[in-house]
């Protein structure tokens, strides 16, 4: 997961701008009259998200709240205006989508859309709230859809400074890899969200595939070391690759891979047979 700074936008300005291209004068008037209401709800979101208490946001009963201007159809209409070309509010959509080129959820997909962290189908009140709109790749966006599984939030969670992604080398008929989440430094709530994030976006499957390809691309060099009986040289090369990736990102799939290859040398004996 890639951490992003929160959008530097005035949330009420985005809300007001989103109404400019709708036809209903009544709805426009309702939005204008409801600015204080939205401001309170947005502050509510920001406060709980900052504290990491996403379960309170997710589990809150919104049935009594979603009766006024923030009715589901109205809010989805406002969001649709954000996505349309030649609307004033489109500039906010573009700015949010261009905050990063790589999807912050999976860390490798190309950003192509915005994801509603709290899905607009269930939490329409946050449909155009910038802090709820996360740039994402198509795959992660469709994977989440209306899911309310509490994953990491790229704007509020920063788990890049502690290693939580690890890899295991398994030598059987061939060499394959198994990734896991493991970290006791984080509090239990954050740790559970990291594990949920890893599961919801099926990062195990993606990382395992990437690791297999990485090893395949490394095999020619490995066999050269083995033919020369230069095991120490091979171990040093793996260590260099691990250190280089660790300096880049602690929780990158490649960092965990080379850490595993360095810590467990059973694969060298396996390939040397």
């Amino acid at each position: 997961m890639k951490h992003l700074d929160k959008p530097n936008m005035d949330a009420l300005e985005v809300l007001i701008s989103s109404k400019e291209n709708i036809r209903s004068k009544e709805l426009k008037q309702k939005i204008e009259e409801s600015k204080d209401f939205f401001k309170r709800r947005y502050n509510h979101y920001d406060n709980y998200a900052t504290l990491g208490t996403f379960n309170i946001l997710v589990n809150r009963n919104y049935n009594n709240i979603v009766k006024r201007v923030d009715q589901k159809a109205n809010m989805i209409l406002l969001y649709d205006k954000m996505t349309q070309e030649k609307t004033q509010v489109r500039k906010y959509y573009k700015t949010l989508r261009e905050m990063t080129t790589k999807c912050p959820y999976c860390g490798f997909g190309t950003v192509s859309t915005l994801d509603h962290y709290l899905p607009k189908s269930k939490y329409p009140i946050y449909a155009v709230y910038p802090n709820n709109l996360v740039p994402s790749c198509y795959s992660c966006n469709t994977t989440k859809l209306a899911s309310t599984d509490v994953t990491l939030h790229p704007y509020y969670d920063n788990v890049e400074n502690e290693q939580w992604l690890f890899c295991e080398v398994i030598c059987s008929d061939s060499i394959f890899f198994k990734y896991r989440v493991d970290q006791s430094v984080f509090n239990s709530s954050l740790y559970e969200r990291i594990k949920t994030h890893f599961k919801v976006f099926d990062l195990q499957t993606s990382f395992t595939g990437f690791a297999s390809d990485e090893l395949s691309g490394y095999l020619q060099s490995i066999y050269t070391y083995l033919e020369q009986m230069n095991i120490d040289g091979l171990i040093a090369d793996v260590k260099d690759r691990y250190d280089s990736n660790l300096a880049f990102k602690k929780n990158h799939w490649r960092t965990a891979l080379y850490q595993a290859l360095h810590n467990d040398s059973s694969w060298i004996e396996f390939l040397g047979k």
Side-chain angles (χ1 to χ4, degrees), residues 149-167:
D149 287 325
V150 185
T151 62
L152 296 171
H153 194 314
Y155 297 150
Y156 291 95
D157 293 314
N158 187 349
V159 292
E160 296 179 7
N161 293 327
E162 299 289 343
Q163 185 180 10
W164 48 265
L165 181 65
F166 296 86
C167 178

Side-chain angles (χ1 to χ4, degrees), residues 115-123 141-149:
D115 173 70
H116 289 80
Y117 179 79
L118 293 183
K120 61 180 182 297
S121 60
K122 296 183 178 178
Y123 309 92
N141 180 246
T142 54
T143 295
K144 276 184 80 242
L145 285 179
S147 169
T148 54
D149 287 325

Side-chain angles (χ1 to χ4, degrees), residues 23 144 203 207 214 220 247 259:
R23 295 180 178 177
K144 276 184 80 242
L203 297 179
F207 292 169
E214 181 78 7
Q220 184 173 343
Q259 181 186 45

Side-chain angles (χ1 to χ4, degrees), residues 48-49 52-62 117-118 123 148-151 189-190 192-193:
Y48 281 112
T53 51
F54 290 94
N55 282 324
I56 295 177
L57 283 173
V58 171
N59 296 325
R60 178 160 186 163
N61 185 348
Y62 285 82
Y117 179 79
L118 293 183
Y123 309 92
T148 54
D149 287 325
V150 185
T151 62
S189 174
L190 180 56
E192 286 302 314
R193 282 193 290 119

Side-chain angles (χ1 to χ4, degrees), residues 20-35:
E20 296 303 322
N21 294 85
I22 57 177
R23 295 180 178 177
S24 171
K25 294 182 179 178
E26 182 183 4
L27 178 55
K28 286 184 175 181
Q29 183 64 30
K30 282 184 177 180
I31 294 171
E32 193 66 36
E33 294 172 349
S34 302
K35 286 192 293 186

Side-chain angles (χ1 to χ4, degrees), residues 14-46:
V14 176
L15 173 71
I16 297 303
S17 180
S18 67
K19 74 179 177 61
E20 296 303 322
N21 294 85
I22 57 177
R23 295 180 178 177
S24 171
K25 294 182 179 178
E26 182 183 4
L27 178 55
K28 286 184 175 181
Q29 183 64 30
K30 282 184 177 180
I31 294 171
E32 193 66 36
E33 294 172 349
S34 302
K35 286 192 293 186
D36 288 343
F37 167 75
F38 278 97
K39 184 177 181 179
R40 289 195 299 274
R41 305 320 307 170
Y42 290 168
N43 287 339
H44 175 86
Y45 183 114
D46 189 50

Side-chain angles (χ1 to χ4, degrees), residues 154-210:
Y155 297 150
Y156 291 95
D157 293 314
N158 187 349
V159 292
E160 296 179 7
N161 293 327
E162 299 289 343
Q163 185 180 10
W164 48 265
L165 181 65
F166 296 86
C167 178
E168 180 182 358
V169 184
I170 300 173
C171 300
S172 181
D173 294 335
S174 60
I175 297 175
F176 60 98
F177 306 96
K178 184 176 181 180
Y179 283 81
R180 73 179 192 281
V181 172
D182 186 10
Q183 178 52 261
S184 59
V185 171
F186 302 120
N187 62 52
S188 58
S189 174
L190 180 56
Y191 183 44
E192 286 302 314
R193 282 193 290 119
I194 294 174
K195 290 194 293 185
T196 300
H197 191 97
F198 188 75
K199 180 180 179 181
V200 166
F201 294 108
D202 194 17
L203 297 179
Q204 173 75 258
T205 299
S206 298
F207 292 169
T208 298
F210 295 157

